[in-house]
Amino acid sequence: MTATAPPALIAIGETMILVTPADATPLSDAEDVRLSIGGAESNVAAHVATLGQSTAWVSRLGDEVLGHRVHRAVAAHGVDTRWVGFDPDAPTGVYFKDPGNGVRYYRAGSAASRMAPETLADVPLEDARIVHISGITPALSASCAAMIDTVIDRVAASPALLSFDVNHRAALWPASEAAPVLLALANRADIVFVGIDEAETLWGCRTAADVRALVTAPSHLVVKDGAVGATEFSARGVVFAPAIPTDVVEAVGAGDAFAAGYLSGVLDGRSPQESLQIGHQRAHLVLQSTHDVVGAGGTDAVS
């Protein structure tokens, strides 16, 4: 990709420093930890880049050692980071994995939470083939929610496709507040990813067909059902692809890997069945690793 070429996929969202115990010890007792990074949208960009398509990630980071560490790690996956800004007055978000007890976020007031419509002023969304966002970003701040509205409006007026991963984070907003917002956003997108578990929590859906009855507008709706498989609804009909049996090391990041695999299939002109299978292949690799992004051959990539 040249310095001026528009990327095939542009992903927008926060990436944080992730602090996790070196083993499965809870934070209350852990003595040794490791630093990595975590961000749904940058994970997607990194996976799609690994699969051979040009990608870019748009975000804001603190202008400090942690922010520059995140920036370096994402760029190392071949992701274009020219539209990532550094804020001297706000920190990079941090979160901790607490084995057996979920995660703990320290992201309030982060540089990324200060993103706003003007963040996108120089970003050529209209020239991308796919623009990818998630339901995490509008929960970060009112200005981030306004930015997501701007993304949707700009992409809708262009040839680009809008990809939206529902990605409900209960630690950011309760289901009662998130449900109507995420449903409305999903129905403004072209491609939507949602897990059947979160669809049940948010909207009371028990089957993939229940989800489609609510999320009717997208031309491609992908409903994931964990180790069972994934179902795509589109104008070409309903397609199901079973998941790949996997001995799971860690589940974090598998949903992003699946979305990226599917989107790379779309970019490559693959059939729905093939795109779903590529998604499962990427998720299968990540499920066997402690990293959110793995190399093209299945080896752990540095993050």
Side-chain angles (χ1 to χ4, degrees):
M1 183 173 63
T2 67
T4 57
L9 179 141
I10 297 176
I12 306 162
E14 180 172 34
T15 295
M16 299 174 288
I17 285 287
L18 170 59
V19 183
T20 186
D23 51 28
T25 306
L27 283 175
S28 59
D29 301 313
E31 296 184 0
D32 297 317
V33 299
R34 65 180 178 90
L35 296 183
S36 57
I37 68 170
E41 299 84 4
S42 63
N43 284 347
V44 169
H47 277 286
V48 174
T50 297
L51 291 168
Q53 292 283 352
S54 60
T55 69
W57 169 58
V58 180
S59 192
R60 291 293 180 269
L61 297 163
D63 192 8
E64 23 79 336
V65 63
L66 296 180
H68 289 279
R69 179 173 178 142
V70 170
H71 183 267
R72 185 173 67 249
V74 175
H77 290 297
V79 177
D80 184 345
T81 57
R82 75 180 99 163
W83 296 294
V84 176
F86 293 93
D87 190 329
D89 301 316
T92 301
V94 177
Y95 74 116
F96 292 77
K97 281 187 185 177
D98 188 2
N101 300 292
V103 299
R104 297 179 179 273
Y105 291 124
Y106 296 86
R107 69 199 304 179
S110 69
S113 74
R114 293 184 171 194
M115 290 191 291
E118 51 267 29
T119 301
L120 307 169
D122 298 323
V123 182
L125 300 178
E126 295 82 358
D127 296 330
R129 293 173 60 194
I130 295 176
V131 176
H132 181 73
I133 58 175
S134 87
I136 297 170
T137 306
L140 299 181
S141 66
S143 65
C144 281
M147 179 187 70
I148 291 299
D149 279 336
T150 297
V151 171
I152 295 172
D153 289 343
R154 284 181 54 183
V155 173
S158 80
L161 296 174
L162 181 71
S163 167
F164 176 67
D165 193 334
V166 171
N167 253 335
H168 174 235
R169 294 290 187 267
L172 292 176
W173 50 352
S176 59
E177 179 185 352
V181 177
L182 295 175
L183 181 58
L185 291 174
N187 273 313
R188 296 171 68 190
D190 300 296
I191 303 170
V192 171
F193 302 94
V194 63
I196 193 63
D197 53 348
E198 63 185 343
E200 182 173 8
T201 298
L202 291 167
W203 310 314
C205 298
R206 294 186 178 276
T207 67
D210 290 343
V211 181
R212 186 54 165 175
L214 284 176
V215 185
T216 57
S219 53
H220 301 270
L221 170 66
V222 179
V223 182
K224 302 170 293 179
D225 191 4
V228 177
T231 303
E232 188 217 60
F233 296 86
S234 74
R236 288 190 273 187
V238 181
V239 176
F240 174 79
I244 300 170
T246 306
D247 291 327
V248 178
V249 172
E250 185 178 61
V252 174
D256 304 328
F258 177 90
Y262 177 90
L263 292 174
S264 74
V266 172
L267 289 169
D268 287 339
R270 303 293 189 95
S271 69
Q273 186 76 40
E274 291 172 320
S275 296
L276 291 171
Q277 288 172 341
I278 298 169
H280 286 315
Q281 289 165 5
R282 296 309 296 177
H284 174 67
L285 293 176
V286 168
L287 287 167
Q288 297 176 88
S289 168
T290 58
H291 291 273
D292 286 356
V293 181
V294 294
T299 56
D300 285 355
V302 175
S303 64

